[in-house]
Amino acid sequence: IPNNFTIHGVWPDHTSFVMYDCDPLKKYKTIDDTNILTELDARWPQLTSTKIIGLQFQRFWEYEYRKHGTCCADVFNQSMYFDISMKLTDSIDLLKILRTKGIKPGYTYTGDQISRAIKSVTQNNPN
């Protein structure tokens, strides 16, 4: 079980329409580089399977790439999509932000309290 927040996915956004399932038939290239797999698994674990099965079959990453990553494939190839995902994850330590703002694991807080804490640091409304 991760000790910090992890990502579920990275979803390109557009102001006029929802972006998903842009090219679901696009081929997913299995990631073979063990360094990248280790880095990606640390930030984006496939929690619906064991680590070994997740790294071997990469079903969740494939699903997320086909559903969302293909929506930016004209700008970012698959490798870049996952690299950007890791960089975005590294850019915000959500658990640290919450702790700094007095929100600690094991206690109860409202959604508004959590949202305000995040916005006070990131200057953006969490979604």
Side-chain angles (χ1 to χ4, degrees):
I1 298 174
N3 293 327
N4 201 340
F5 288 93
T6 63
I7 59 174
H8 171 81
V10 175
W11 307 323
D13 204 358
H14 194 282
T15 57
S16 300
F17 54 89
V18 177
M19 296 179 73
Y20 60 86
D21 291 330
C22 296
D23 189 359
L25 299 177
K26 187 169 184 71
K27 183 159 175 51
Y28 172 84
K29 184 180 181 295
T30 302
I31 302 166
D32 296 322
D33 184 310
T34 55
N35 291 329
I36 294 172
L37 286 172
T38 300
E39 297 281 325
L40 192 54
D41 185 62
R43 294 163 179 86
W44 197 342
Q46 300 179 82
L47 300 174
T48 59
S49 64
T50 66
K51 183 174 184 167
I52 293 169
I53 290 172
L55 293 175
Q56 181 180 1
F57 295 105
Q58 304 174 17
R59 288 184 182 117
F60 186 60
W61 295 334
E62 178 179 4
Y63 171 81
E64 287 299 307
Y65 177 71
R66 285 187 175 181
K67 183 156 184 110
H68 302 292
T70 59
C71 294
C72 60
D74 58 333
V75 180
F76 306 112
N77 64 30
Q78 178 184 313
S79 177
M80 294 166 73
Y81 171 77
F82 287 112
D83 186 53
I84 288 168
S85 301
M86 290 188 285
K87 286 178 180 171
L88 285 171
T89 302
D90 291 346
S91 71
I92 297 174
D93 185 340
L94 190 54
L95 191 57
K96 182 179 179 182
I97 289 170
L98 293 173
R99 283 185 174 145
T100 299
K101 297 299 177 179
I103 296 176
K104 308 221 182 324
Y107 296 90
T108 303
Y109 303 93
T110 67
D112 284 342
Q113 288 173 304
I114 293 168
S115 292
R116 279 194 306 272
I118 295 168
K119 184 175 182 178
S120 72
V121 174
T122 65
Q123 304 305 309
N124 291 298
N125 289 315
N127 183 358

